[in-house]
Amino acid sequence: MVLVMDDMVDNLNNAYQEFVAAAASVLEIKELASAQKTIATDNSLENFKQKWELFRVACDQAEELVESVRQRIGSECLVDEATGTGSGTVSGKLGQSGPAGLPPISAVRLEQMSKAVRWLVIELQHGSGAASAGHHPHTPPPPFDARFPDDAAQ
């Protein structure tokens, strides 16, 4: 991940430097042409537009990477907090077993709970009840079982 970020920073820096150089070129050529429109000024403006677009693309890619990393960190923190495995969790700092003193849950149980919630959302979107059950092709997940032996061991 660090290499990807380093490459992204290098790419962004290069695009920025090329954009700034193109802007400087436009100003120099305009000054040499005494602010007259010439082929050289048109070419420098076209080059400037291309460098601007490349810089915008590099910015968008960097923003996507940052958002992706942010979401990944958020997901990992959520799982760490729920399972009690994170080294920097608030509950770990307070000496509790979980949020508000609740025991941590296993990653398997967290995944099952997540699937159960997604299934309920689908049911709500399509209208719950037996009348709507035949109208969508989804098969329900196995029933959620709150009794997990691995939870008690944690």
Side-chain angles (χ1 to χ4, degrees):
M1 181 55 85
V2 172
L3 290 176
V4 171
M5 293 177 94
D6 285 345
D7 289 345
M8 184 63 63
V9 169
D10 290 343
N11 186 31
L12 189 60
N13 185 45
N14 291 339
Y16 174 75
Q17 294 300 329
E18 290 175 7
F19 168 64
V20 170
S25 176
V26 167
L27 295 175
E28 288 172 9
I29 291 175
K30 267 191 149 184
E31 188 176 318
L32 289 174
S34 301
Q36 301 280 331
K37 184 175 178 174
T38 65
I39 293 174
T41 57
D42 287 347
N43 288 341
S44 68
L45 282 172
E46 186 59 36
N47 183 49
F48 173 76
K49 289 177 189 177
Q50 290 173 356
K51 299 305 180 186
W52 166 246
E53 284 302 316
L54 290 174
F55 179 60
R56 283 185 38 189
V57 168
C59 288
D60 290 345
Q61 289 172 342
E63 187 176 3
E64 288 173 11
L65 177 66
V66 168
E67 181 62 22
S68 170
V69 170
R70 187 189 68 76
Q71 288 178 357
R72 184 174 177 186
I73 290 170
S75 296
E76 288 174 3
C77 288
L78 177 64
V79 169
D80 287 350
E81 188 65 33
T83 60
T85 59
S87 59
T89 62
V90 173
S91 61
K93 291 177 186 172
L94 297 176
Q96 298 174 338
S97 57
L102 298 174
I105 60 174
S106 70
V108 173
R109 183 170 180 197
L110 182 63
E111 180 63 27
Q112 267 207 336
M113 290 167 49
S114 175
K115 286 179 182 176
V117 168
R118 281 193 299 265
W119 175 250
L120 289 172
V121 168
I122 290 169
E123 281 296 308
L124 288 172
Q125 288 173 340
H126 290 94
S128 59
S132 66
H135 294 305
H136 55 86
H138 304 290
T139 57
F144 175 68
D145 184 0
R147 301 164 292 148
F148 269 85
D150 57 333
D151 287 342
Q154 290 185 351

